[in-house]
């Protein structure tokens, strides 16, 4: 059992920050499967801030009325 734990630990050390984050979420989902009450929480942090800001900008631009368009 110790040998596999050491192999896993060594592999984790080779991962990038993003890969470690993905692995963390994967392990969390295995150890703590979502229940009905927390099923949406599994998506928290799934979209990075830059993408959220870009989506907000597009939404705001889409809500503008161009009166000269028609």
């Amino acid at each position: 059992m110790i040998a596999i734990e050491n192999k896993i630990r060594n592999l984790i050390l080779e991962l990038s920050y993003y890969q470690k984050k993905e692995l963390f979420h994967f392990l969390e989902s295995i150890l703590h499967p979502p229940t009905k009450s927390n099923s949406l929480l599994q998506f928290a942090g799934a979209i990075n801030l830059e993408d959220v800001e870009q989506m907000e900008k597009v939404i705001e631009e889409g809500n503008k009325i161009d009166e000269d368009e028609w």
Side-chain angles (χ1 to χ4, degrees), residues 21-64:
K21 190 174 175 181
E22 290 292 313
L23 177 60
F24 172 78
H25 290 299
F26 173 71
L27 293 173
E28 282 280 303
S29 70
I30 292 173
L31 296 172
H32 309 288
T35 61
K36 196 171 193 178
S37 63
N38 72 358
S39 60
L40 289 178
L41 291 177
Q42 67 180 324
F43 299 106
I47 303 174
N48 67 42
L49 182 59
E50 184 178 303
D51 290 340
V52 171
E53 289 171 347
Q54 186 176 8
M55 286 188 276
E56 287 176 342
K57 182 180 176 184
V58 168
I59 291 169
E60 287 174 11
E61 289 174 358
N63 288 332
K64 294 179 183 173

Side-chain angles (χ1 to χ4, degrees), residues 61-70:
E61 289 174 358
N63 288 332
K64 294 179 183 173
I65 298 173
D66 184 0
E67 294 180 14
D68 294 326
E69 185 176 356
W70 292 91

